[in-house]
Amino acid sequence: MKFLPLFTVGILLFAGCAGAPSREAAYPGAPPSSRPSTGRSPTQPGSTARPGAVVASPSEVRGTRFIRVLISGGTPDVVLGGETIRAWGPDGRLVAEAAGRVTLGAVGERIRWNGSRLLGDTLDVAGAPDLRVGNRYVVGRVRFLARKGEMLAVAVVPLESYVAAVLSREAPARFQPEALAAIAVAVRTYAVGAAAKPRDPAYDVAGSVEDQVFDGMDGVAAVFREATDRTRGLVVRYRGELARTVYHSTCGGRTEDAGSVWGKDIPYLRSQFCDDCADSPVYRWEYRMSGTEGRRVATALGVPPGTDLSIAVTGRTPTGRASRVRISSGGVSMEVQAAEFRKAAGYANVRSLKMEIVPVAGGWRVTGEGWGHGVGLCQFGANGMARRGAGFREILLRYYPGTEITGETP
Ligand SMILES: [Zn+2]
């Protein structure tokens, strides 16, 4: 288990309540707010509690697991908002305080506070009643690190709050409860697996499409918290190991083999027929690619386009998805991975590789089925199954066959 010592103040206070249904540990340091958050207790410690004053051992925080989420990086500065913003050093000592707005800047390995004071390389920051990091609202504390002139912001979020927040960005609120519950288990399994192999010594997952989208904890509707609470702690395992629970929007009739997409066969990620996503708005789609756009894509893929530019699918996977695309013009011909073509044309235009490309006057007509890579759980298919009365376990076992649904700790 990973957690920062300064988070243990609140955790310890609530350790005695472990086992109460759908409870979260408190978010230490932040006073109660009126925001709809995940089951917060009204009796959490106030901001006067000194961080680091109490150090709990991992056994004392049993049942509460945290995940470190990178919420900002790649820039030299980050802007924080909050009525009151306080910052502590790694030793738990309060080092700075401000109201309203603070800019943290990385100067090599040191942090500049609001354009003036130069502090150490690590700060733990909390805001009252809450903290905004860029556009993200975060409950609790955020660790900031200066690294080679870059500011990293890492939110340490209770796992179940993370699951609910990710679910709210990755699935529509109108989905059936059992479908949301199934996706919550997939999201949690991915997160627990990622935390076992952190991306970086400073964080477990990126809060972007690189891992799972995490936009902070505001606006997480009750349906997402309920789906998370109902499946609390459940993960998908294959032969005892955490499964790679990838998912996508709509398979368009048949999911894809992991081996066809990533070159590695995974027994529980083999193609399944799925007609439960037929009511997805992207079950069938069409994209009209203009001549200009086709020339831009050809150029991006390394073929100088002339008037005789041609674009055609030249290879398919066993499920019928495009695997190769040939681009030819003026005697130059190049075959690229279909995924490269899709990336160059735009993921929102060419929504999946289950597609046909037909030349038409003024460009190309690209028609296709589904949205996403097609591997693993089909979200709209899960929703269709739930509408037919399937429970979340049945849904998961359909898309991840041969796995089992168990508690997070075996
Ligand atoms: Zn489907």
Side-chain angles (χ1 to χ4, degrees), residues 295-303 325 327 334 336-337 340-342 344-345:
R295 286 191 289 277
R296 185 193 66 75
V297 170
T299 305
L301 294 173
V303 177
V325 170
I327 299 168
M334 185 181 280
V336 297
Q337 299 276 359
E340 286 178 56
F341 168 79
R342 185 178 167 223

Side-chain angles (χ1 to χ4, degrees), residues 1-15 25-29 45 49-61 64 66 141 156:
M1 163 168 296
K2 298 175 189 63
F3 58 89
L4 302 172
L6 58 98
F7 282 84
T8 57
V9 180
I11 297 162
L12 194 60
L13 289 177
F14 288 95
Y27 301 91
R50 210 188 117 192
V54 183
V55 177
S57 72
S59 63
E60 289 173 304
V61 295
T64 302
F66 290 85
R141 294 171 196 274
V156 182

Side-chain angles (χ1 to χ4, degrees), residues 298-299 301-306 308-311 326-335:
T299 305
L301 294 173
V303 177
D308 62 343
L309 176 63
S310 91
I311 302 175
R326 181 172 289 283
I327 299 168
S328 313
S329 184
V332 178
S333 186
M334 185 181 280
E335 202 176 56

Side-chain angles (χ1 to χ4, degrees), residues 251-252 274 277 378:
C251 75
C274 167
C277 55
C378 166

Side-chain angles (χ1 to χ4, degrees), residues 179-384:
L180 290 178
I183 301 165
V185 175
V187 168
R188 181 181 302 104
T189 307
Y190 182 98
V192 173
K197 292 177 191 162
R199 271 193 179 269
D200 185 284
Y203 57 88
D204 299 316
V205 291
S208 63
V209 290
E210 206 178 329
D211 284 307
Q212 303 186 111
V213 177
F214 174 80
D215 275 337
M217 291 182 267
D218 52 347
V220 176
V223 288
F224 300 116
R225 284 181 276 124
E226 283 156 15
T228 305
D229 286 347
R230 276 190 52 215
T231 60
R232 187 181 183 85
L234 293 181
V235 293
V236 181
R237 285 179 197 281
Y238 180 76
R239 296 186 173 171
E241 300 289 322
L242 288 169
R244 220 179 133 189
T245 48
V246 291
Y247 51 89
H248 58 276
S249 161
T250 303
C251 75
R254 190 175 176 187
T255 67
E256 180 60 296
D257 291 309
S260 295
V261 178
W262 297 304
K264 186 183 173 213
D265 179 54
I266 300 176
Y268 53 87
L269 293 179
R270 291 197 183 127
S271 177
Q272 308 295 322
F273 286 98
C274 167
D275 52 12
D276 288 299
C277 55
D279 70 343
S280 164
V282 286
Y283 188 69
R284 301 276 182 271
W285 52 263
E286 179 174 323
Y287 165 56
R288 282 297 189 112
M289 187 162 68
S290 68
T292 307
E293 184 59 11
R295 286 191 289 277
R296 185 193 66 75
V297 170
T299 305
L301 294 173
V303 177
T307 50
D308 62 343
L309 176 63
S310 91
I311 302 175
V313 174
T314 48
R316 292 194 182 273
T317 72
T319 69
R321 287 174 171 82
S323 59
R324 312 285 296 172
V325 170
R326 181 172 289 283
I327 299 168
S328 313
S329 184
V332 178
S333 186
M334 185 181 280
E335 202 176 56
V336 297
Q337 299 276 359
E340 286 178 56
F341 168 79
R342 185 178 167 223
K343 185 179 179 186
Y347 293 124
N349 295 325
V350 176
R351 290 178 159 159
S352 77
L353 293 178
K354 220 161 173 286
M355 63 165 182
E356 310 282 343
I357 304 174
V358 178
V360 294
W364 291 265
R365 185 173 69 227
V366 187
T367 54
E369 297 159 351
W371 192 347
H373 51 58
V375 183
L377 184 143
C378 166
Q379 291 184 319
F380 273 86
N383 196 45

